[in-house]
Amino acid sequence: MTQISLSGEVADAVNSGRPVVALESTILSHGLPPGRNLDVAKRLEDTVRAAGAVPATIAVLDGTPVVGLSPAQLERVCAPDSGLDKLSLRDLGPAIGLGRSGATTVASTSALAHQAGVSVFATGGLGGVHLGAQESWDVSADLGVLARVPTLVVCSGVKSVLDIAATLEVLETNSVPVLGYRTDSFPAFYLRYSDFPVPWRVDDPAQAAAVVAAHRRYAGSGVLLANPIPAESEMDEQLHERLLTEGLQLVRDKGVQGKDVTPVLLEHFHTASEGVSLDANEALVLSNARLAAEIAVELA
Ligand code: PSU
Ligand code: MN
């Protein structure tokens, strides 16, 4: 059976109990355009290091789950012709068993990180319950994995292309605590606020670490820490509304379904906003990486 491949740096840090932050690769291969993605990937790793933790970007390459991509592997994941599939947790067995390559989502990254001994993970947006899920049954596997893997996921909430109320309900059903970071409102990715409150709030990394440690001891599922996009990078609300309406229409017109929905919507946001959404995306994911590293330092 193929073993997880840990970079030397990540293996050393895990073995000596030093802080490590997992990073996903789907956001690079399917969430950001080539060129920009490699730049963001490097900045994410630099940000984690600057905050005192070791970054571990995760992907599956030629059938091997890799935790802590080398610079060359990071380039491969970000290349315009990488041809990488988007691998959620259901896809890990097939991809590894069949010797394929792919980028990992929140679900599969959390699972691989946990197996490698890494319990803090930073990303941009979590997958959730899609609008119209009553008909389509489209509920991201990210939620099911948070329900059973004890990883802390630091993100900026979920996009308003999802059904936020339903997403929060599913998290509650699965006993996943949702913490607002210095906010009482669950953030909506490009926007700092949604119409929905968070059940709990923390105001510094030490509080977040205390909650995570206690939850792991007494409950055991994952924890979601929702960190709003930095105020200066928040998207204009009217622009956001327009992009959202257009994007949802595009998905309907093209008959896009399943795992292609999120990448198609993201691409529409990026092209139709002339890069505004890209800047926002980068700002929030960097902010999440910094916060995750600070919490990993507290936990260590
Ligand atoms: N949201 C984003 N950018 C992303 C994703 C979500 O703003 O790149 C990706 C993440 O990898 C997330 C996945 O785990 O989409 C969820 O996809 P699905 O809904 O198909 O489970
Ligand atoms: Mn889906």
Side-chain angles (χ1 to χ4, degrees):
M1 173 70 60
T2 315
Q3 299 295 318
I4 294 187
S5 162
L6 270 73
S7 71
E9 189 190 14
V10 171
D12 282 351
V14 168
N15 290 332
S16 56
R18 278 182 288 124
V20 183
V21 173
L23 300 165
E24 62 154 309
S25 44
T26 293
I27 190 177
L28 304 174
S29 65
H30 290 68
L32 295 166
R36 183 74 176 244
N37 57 3
L38 184 59
D39 195 49
V40 172
K42 289 180 184 160
R43 277 176 209 233
L44 280 168
E45 296 203 343
D46 291 346
T47 300
V48 169
R49 281 184 214 285
V54 170
T57 307
I58 297 180
V60 175
L61 296 175
D62 307 313
T64 300
V66 183
V67 174
L69 298 179
S70 69
Q73 289 170 327
L74 209 53
E75 270 186 44
R76 173 174 169 192
V77 166
C78 293
D81 55 355
S82 76
L84 289 194
D85 284 333
K86 169 181 168 186
L87 307 177
S88 192
L89 187 53
R90 66 154 189 196
D91 305 303
L92 276 189
I96 294 166
L98 300 173
R100 307 283 166 75
S101 302
T104 50
T105 63
V106 171
S108 47
T109 305
S110 298
L112 288 174
H114 175 60
Q115 284 182 44
V118 178
S119 62
V120 177
F121 167 26
T123 186
L126 181 72
V129 179
H130 281 259
L131 291 165
Q134 300 90 328
E135 296 281 315
S136 68
W137 293 74
D138 192 349
V139 178
S140 174
D142 292 355
L143 301 182
V145 173
L146 264 171
R148 58 190 186 76
V149 178
T151 311
L152 167 68
V153 178
V154 182
C155 70
S156 296
V158 301
K159 285 204 194 56
S160 15
V161 299
L162 298 177
D163 186 332
I164 295 179
T167 301
L168 290 170
E169 289 295 343
V170 171
L171 289 167
E172 178 179 350
T173 301
N174 287 291
S175 305
V176 177
V178 177
L179 317 173
Y181 191 73
R182 297 180 180 163
T183 184
D184 296 307
S185 166
F186 188 70
F189 199 77
Y190 295 120
L191 304 177
R192 288 178 59 80
Y193 308 100
S194 70
D195 293 335
F196 305 94
V198 283
W200 292 97
R201 165 183 177 135
V202 293
D203 287 286
D204 57 47
Q207 282 189 339
V211 170
V212 168
H215 180 75
R216 283 182 185 156
R217 169 75 173 76
Y218 294 105
S221 47
V223 175
L224 190 67
L225 177 60
N227 180 31
I229 183 172
E232 65 277 13
S233 303
E234 187 179 30
M235 198 183 267
D236 173 72
E237 239 179 279
Q238 277 168 2
L239 172 63
H240 180 265
E241 186 63 34
R242 175 169 73 78
L243 296 173
L244 186 61
T245 310
E246 288 169 1
L248 290 171
Q249 187 63 44
L250 184 77
V251 163
R252 275 194 295 273
D253 290 349
K254 285 186 160 176
V256 178
Q257 285 180 335
K259 68 176 192 174
D260 297 330
V261 170
T262 304
V264 167
L265 281 169
L266 282 174
E267 198 190 306
H268 174 72
F269 266 70
H270 296 334
T271 47
S273 74
E274 288 164 356
V276 170
S277 65
L278 276 178
D279 293 341
N281 211 327
E282 174 169 341
L284 67 83
V285 72
L286 286 174
S287 156
N288 296 339
R290 186 174 317 110
L291 178 57
E294 289 167 0
I295 297 167
V297 167
E298 289 287 338
L299 283 167

